[in-house]
Amino acid sequence: MGIVFNSTAKTITLHTKNTSYQMKTGNLDYLLHLYYGPSIRDTDMSYQIMQYDRGFSGNPYESRDARTFSLDAQPQEFSTQQQGDFRTPSIEVVNSDGSYSFHGKAVNYKIIKGKYNLDTLPAAFAADKDTADTLEVVLLDRVSNVEITLLYGVFEEADIITRAVRVKNLGSRSIRLKRIMSVCLDFLNGADMDLVSFPGRYGQERQVERQHINHHIHTIGSVRGSSSHQQNPFVILCDRSATEDYGKCYGFSLMYSGNFLTEAELDQYDQLRLVMGIHPRQFVYELKPQEVFEGPEVVMAFTEHGFTGLSHLYHDFYRTNLCKSKFVTEVQRPVLINSWEAAFMDFDDVKLVNIAKAAKNMGVDLFVMDDGWFGKRDDDNSGLGDWFVNENKIKCGLHRLVEQINGLDMKFGIWFEPEMVSEDSDLYRAHPEWVMQIPGRHAVRSRNQLALDMSRQDVQDYLIEKVNAILDNANIYYVKWDINRSLADIWSNKIPAERQGEVYHRYILGLYRVMDNIIKTHPDILFEGCSGGGGRYDAAMLHYYPQYWVSDNNHPIDRLKLHYGTSFVYPTCTMGAHISDSGKFVPLETKAIVAMCGTFGYELDATQLNKKQQKICKKQSDLFRKYYHITFKGDYYRLTNPFEDGNFTAWMHVTKNKREALVSAVVTNLTCNGPQEYIKAKGLKPDTFYRINKEKTVYSGAALMNAGIPIPREVPEYSAFQFHLKAVNKQ
Ligand code: DGJ
């Protein structure tokens, strides 16, 4: 059993294969956090906590003359409000009497076989092979009658611990929740830690930043209504000395697609507290008597093996315990071509079929019709919301168009942006009250579109009906679900004035309801998420959709950074990556090698490629299929850091049994008469011999990892290389 209660010490310890996490009901029944790190067996870790008088820190009244006990200095599982802890709180609640206090005491705990589920939000699940257990710890404030249930999911083999939180109002009058964090993790000594985050912008999502933690609150979050391009709901806390391969790293990945907040605070005693949850900005949630609120799940991982070790834990877990789509394990992802950069909105059925025909020569399996096929949609000023086929463009009708594509022995995919509406649309004319718009004010426009109020059930039902109708009307194999603006006018006509603080969160709940219905009704469809590129790339989206568009930036050299940053937590098999016209001076082969790091496809007008180029593409599509078992199922290694100076960027995938690997490298900078450079492989077996690209000579894993593979010289600019390593039986 991964969860052990010690009745003498009153400790509860969560054990995974290589880690332990411990808490204890301590003084006055406060729930203390004692440890998270490498495995410890049978040790009460409370010996670390030294009680001494800390000037100006409050002492709970019940501790009487004992001035040595202050919550300001105690490591806690759930930091509380107004009891002398002045650090970052996990909760801010306005009680029915108007007070803000929450004094949560541990009153109960339960250990349950299997992994808990959440009623309103996505959560990781236990796969057949997993040993997973749940711990529930109940904290109660006996004055306000607010009850908190802390949920812990322990995945033993995966080395993963999940956390979530439920708030219940046990009182007889309403309370208002203003802040609720899903995780609070206290470190008794955090002075030597760094925080790694993934900021970005449109076209440059998930770049990597590392900062020392100082004596203030480091804040990372989004208030854009979505997890956003600008920040990502994933952070790493690590030793200051941690590198790709060595050092302690803690990961925190929030399964939520709306506003989020991460705060890391180094306090006066060098203790570190990290909290993560829904962003409190404009969040006020009323809970009537007996009502329950759920906070989103945080997936936590710990390793001593640096960033690579951490990424491997997340990649393995997210490939098996996050998304139930059959495309995760059972069905191979197709090579696709998307019409967006080929035609934008200027197309008809004939043009699309011609692109598909040309793409057939390139080994493409799936043709995707992007934006512009519906309503009145010739530019981005109109049409959103009218999810019926524009027969001026698709003159033969959707059914016949799909038949023609299928006739080429290709599958058909389609684009939607369900959450949005154009003012120039039938939907808006019929239902202006369905948009988010503050009474008496004009709504903020972005890409000339408005956001639908996804918190309304009638809006949700409309979208479910319209999207499902299209998907049922033709043989559709793939859906791209896009959203192209941030939310600005947070208001719902259906919600009373005093409850508008719930709209941000209710939008996300409504969105999840719609997505859940559509994917469950269409389990055979492959879904890809998108948000003006990779603006909502988060674990919750990957719960519904097995892949996500990384960025609208298809430049292969920029993509090296985009893939690098994204790969810290999200498996490379989730990364939508295409070859496009972007990167005029970059050879087609290089673009293909970069796209092969992810789901691989094309984003160009195939009719404009000559026979020779189409042939190159065909070869690359075949290589993608050939190496699929390595790139989609193997372990991924970042071999260089594209954010640091260097003349090449390299990465590799290695099969789990280490018998095969694919090393990829792009020369990003040609130096005149420069030194010879080597790609040092990782993850191989030192004593195994590998053949490279069917050459005669074989090389030991030790040689390839320590001396490396020399980068060919005298090559054109932006050349790229793929080295396929195959183990041979030589002793
Ligand atoms: C933004 C996406 O990222 C693009 O790939 C494309 O689908 C456009 N939206 C269409 O409007």
Side-chain angles (χ1 to χ4, degrees):
M1 187 65 145
I3 304 174
V4 178
F5 174 65
N6 181 324
S7 55
T8 321
K10 287 202 179 162
T11 54
I12 304 177
T13 314
L14 319 180
H15 293 293
T16 69
K17 197 168 57 182
N18 297 298
T19 73
S20 298
Y21 182 112
Q22 195 179 78
M23 68 194 81
K24 170 182 179 123
T25 311
N27 272 8
L28 307 172
D29 291 338
Y30 287 109
L31 187 65
L32 303 180
H33 172 76
L34 301 182
Y35 182 78
Y36 185 27
S39 297
I40 42 137
R41 303 284 160 198
D42 301 328
T43 309
D44 174 356
M45 298 299 286
S46 62
Y47 74 84
Q48 307 165 91
I49 304 177
M50 307 301 284
Q51 313 286 15
Y52 54 96
D53 190 353
R54 322 241 178 175
F56 276 86
S57 290
N59 316 113
Y61 192 81
E62 307 101 291
S63 61
R64 297 283 163 185
D65 297 335
R67 286 165 46 161
T68 54
F69 182 74
S70 171
L71 289 172
D72 212 16
Q74 302 297 306
Q76 293 164 64
E77 280 298 313
F78 185 78
S79 52
T80 50
Q81 206 184 346
Q82 292 205 339
Q83 3 173 34
D85 184 353
F86 298 95
R87 296 171 293 166
T88 313
S90 299
I91 186 169
E92 202 183 332
V93 56
V94 186
N95 298 313
S96 57
D97 61 3
S99 68
Y100 282 71
S101 297
F102 177 77
H103 292 199
K105 302 287 185 79
V107 292
N108 205 353
Y109 80 93
K110 230 193 266 173
I111 297 171
I112 305 158
K113 258 224 121 8
K115 159 74 178 21
Y116 65 84
N117 212 354
L118 297 177
D119 295 331
T120 56
L121 289 163
F125 53 84
D128 292 343
K129 61 172 184 26
D130 292 324
T131 319
D133 298 298
T134 294
L135 168 70
E136 285 185 13
V137 183
V138 179
L139 310 179
L140 179 67
D141 183 315
R142 290 203 165 84
V143 176
S144 62
N145 282 315
V146 174
E147 180 191 86
I148 299 290
T149 304
L150 302 177
L151 299 162
Y152 301 80
V154 183
F155 291 84
E156 260 185 85
E157 296 87 359
D159 267 333
I160 293 283
I161 295 176
T162 63
R163 284 190 61 172
V165 62
R166 285 198 184 111
V167 186
K168 188 167 184 185
N169 179 5
L170 297 178
S172 54
R173 286 189 294 154
S174 288
I175 58 170
R176 279 176 296 140
L177 202 53
K178 293 184 71 185
R179 173 187 175 103
I180 179 74
M181 294 291 118
S182 299
V183 73
C184 166
L185 193 65
D186 278 355
F187 295 82
L188 280 169
N189 192 337
D192 285 326
M193 288 183 116
D194 283 353
L195 180 67
V196 182
S197 62
F198 300 86
R201 56 186 185 274
Y202 172 77
Q204 301 285 0
E205 298 86 341
R206 292 168 300 287
Q207 311 289 293
V208 184
E209 263 180 29
R210 180 172 180 165
Q211 55 185 311
H212 293 331
I213 299 212
N214 300 322
H215 289 99
H216 56 247
I217 300 176
H218 300 252
T219 298
I220 288 159
S222 164
V223 289
R224 293 167 187 267
S226 83
S227 49
S228 87
H229 299 79
Q230 286 72 14
Q231 291 290 351
N232 195 266
F234 173 66
V235 295
I236 300 171
L237 274 181
C238 61
D239 281 350
R240 233 164 237 193
S241 56
T243 62
E244 263 301 337
D245 303 302
Y246 306 103
K248 292 186 176 148
C249 295
Y250 296 84
F252 304 86
S253 170
L254 181 71
M255 217 181 288
Y256 191 61
S257 311
N259 291 349
F260 75 93
L261 176 73
T262 306
E263 285 179 332
E265 177 179 7
L266 188 67
D267 74 11
Q268 55 185 334
Y269 304 114
D270 288 350
Q271 303 181 125
L272 175 65
R273 169 170 295 166
L274 182 129
V275 298
M276 194 178 214
I278 295 175
H279 203 295
R281 171 93 59 92
Q282 216 176 305
F283 171 83
V284 188
Y285 212 96
E286 181 180 338
L287 282 184
K288 297 207 162 89
Q290 297 307 314
E291 280 184 348
V292 174
F293 181 89
E294 280 180 335
E297 180 160 288
V298 176
V299 177
M300 303 192 301
F302 168 79
T303 180
E304 293 184 276
H305 305 294
F307 301 131
T308 297
L310 195 70
S311 297
H312 286 177
L313 292 175
Y314 278 107
H315 290 183
D316 286 346
F317 191 66
Y318 282 170
R319 279 188 292 192
T320 47
N321 299 76
L322 185 57
C323 177
K324 292 195 170 152
S325 164
K326 67 179 194 183
F327 291 92
V328 174
T329 45
E330 294 157 44
V331 181
Q332 182 155 331
R333 283 346 135 73
V335 172
L336 73 79
I337 189 160
N338 179 295
S339 68
W340 181 241
E341 291 189 20
F344 295 102
M345 295 180 203
D346 179 19
F347 58 78
D348 61 9
D349 47 350
V350 177
K351 189 168 182 178
L352 296 183
V353 173
N354 284 339
I355 296 174
K357 278 185 184 154
K360 186 71 202 161
N361 303 328
M362 294 153 54
V364 169
D365 309 305
L366 162 69
F367 175 82
V368 179
M369 175 171 70
D370 207 279
D371 195 353
W373 59 267
F374 52 89
K376 186 179 126 231
R377 183 80 167 163
D378 296 322
D379 54 38
D380 54 20
N381 296 318
S382 61
L384 287 173
D386 294 345
W387 299 112
F388 51 84
V389 177
N390 178 339
E391 295 201 344
N392 291 326
K393 286 184 171 179
I394 313 297
K395 298 186 190 74
C396 62
L398 182 63
H399 202 264
R400 180 66 198 122
L401 174 65
V402 179
E403 271 179 0
Q404 290 184 69
I405 303 289
N406 290 166
L408 299 169
D409 197 20
M410 285 170 95
K411 310 207 185 295
F412 185 86
I414 195 165
W415 176 96
F416 288 96
E417 191 178 359
E419 299 153 70
M420 296 291 139
V421 65
S422 308
E423 282 158 279
D424 185 2
S425 69
D426 291 351
L427 180 66
Y428 183 77
R429 282 181 282 274
H431 288 291
E433 77 284 8
W434 280 10
V435 304
M436 293 220 280
Q437 183 169 7
I438 297 164
R441 300 178 196 276
H442 290 300
V444 172
R445 286 170 154 207
S446 182
R447 211 195 188 199
N448 274 350
Q449 59 197 49
L450 305 181
L452 284 174
D453 174 3
M454 295 296 291
S455 72
R456 293 176 67 122
Q457 193 167 337
D458 44 9
V459 171
Q460 297 163 22
D461 291 343
Y462 170 85
L463 293 175
I464 288 172
E465 188 201 316
K466 291 292 169 197
V467 176
N468 280 342
I470 294 283
L471 301 185
D472 293 339
N473 169 342
N475 186 21
I476 289 171
Y477 191 78
Y478 162 105
V479 166
K480 178 173 170 189
W481 183 294
D482 202 352
I483 167 173
N484 286 296
R485 63 162 290 175
S486 306
L487 307 183
D489 309 276
I490 308 307
W491 178 271
S492 170
N493 280 308
K494 272 270 158 128
I495 294 180
E498 66 280 8
R499 297 192 70 165
Q500 292 296 321
E502 298 176 18
V503 175
Y504 266 131
H505 181 60
R506 288 188 182 275
Y507 179 102
I508 296 295
L509 295 181
L511 169 66
Y512 290 158
R513 175 173 171 253
V514 174
M515 285 168 36
D516 197 56
N517 178 296
I518 293 170
I519 59 164
K520 286 195 176 134
T521 317
H522 298 96
D524 293 330
I525 290 184
L526 168 62
F527 287 85
E528 175 157 357
C530 174
S531 172
R536 200 166 58 181
Y537 203 135
D538 55 55
M541 282 291 143
L542 294 179
H543 171 79
Y544 297 102
Y545 304 155
Q547 57 192 58
Y548 208 95
W549 186 224
V550 168
S551 180
D552 274 355
N553 182 351
N554 286 311
H555 193 288
I557 304 304
D558 278 354
R559 276 275 175 163
L560 298 171
K561 289 182 180 159
L562 286 153
H563 294 174
Y564 173 87
T566 305
S567 77
F568 273 76
V569 56
Y570 307 115
T572 56
C573 65
T574 66
M575 298 185 339
H578 297 168
I579 298 161
S580 84
D581 286 338
S582 179
K584 216 165 139 200
F585 302 108
V586 183
L588 208 45
E589 288 87 346
T590 299
K591 295 179 179 182
I593 287 174
V594 174
M596 237 176 268
C597 183
T599 59
F600 193 79
Y602 299 89
E603 190 96 10
L604 42 71
D605 185 351
T607 63
Q608 299 303 306
L609 298 188
N610 59 35
K611 288 259 163 329
K612 190 174 160 213
Q613 289 167 318
Q614 290 186 354
K615 225 170 140 187
I616 296 175
C617 291
K618 166 83 173 68
K619 192 173 154 211
Q620 300 298 341
S621 304
D622 289 344
L623 280 179
F624 166 74
R625 284 185 274 264
K626 180 173 165 199
Y627 296 143
Y628 189 90
H629 64 290
I630 314 177
T631 56
F632 272 60
K633 318 250 168 199
D635 291 329
Y636 169 79
Y637 291 86
R638 293 172 289 270
L639 300 182
T640 61
N641 178 350
F643 289 92
E644 288 171 356
D645 285 347
N647 296 323
F648 69 96
T649 295
W651 65 96
M652 73 185 283
H653 291 88
V654 187
T655 55
K656 290 279 176 195
N657 64 9
K658 299 183 183 291
R659 304 283 301 165
E660 248 185 298
L662 188 66
V663 178
S664 306
V666 177
V667 177
T668 47
N669 184 30
L670 271 190
T671 52
C672 173
N673 196 23
Q676 174 62 50
E677 295 189 275
Y678 301 87
I679 307 167
K680 293 196 178 154
K682 289 183 181 176
L684 302 175
K685 278 197 177 152
D687 298 337
T688 296
F689 283 83
Y690 296 86
R691 195 180 298 290
I692 302 181
N693 292 346
K694 297 196 179 147
E695 278 174 20
K696 263 199 165 153
T697 322
V698 294
Y699 309 86
S700 71
L704 297 173
M705 291 192 289
N706 295 305
I709 306 172
I711 299 210
R713 298 194 61 86
E714 313 298 331
V715 293
E717 244 180 344
Y718 299 127
S719 290
F721 309 96
Q722 228 167 21
F723 301 99
H724 177 231
L725 275 44
K726 186 136 198 202
V728 293
N729 287 330
K730 176 175 169 182
Q731 290 310 304

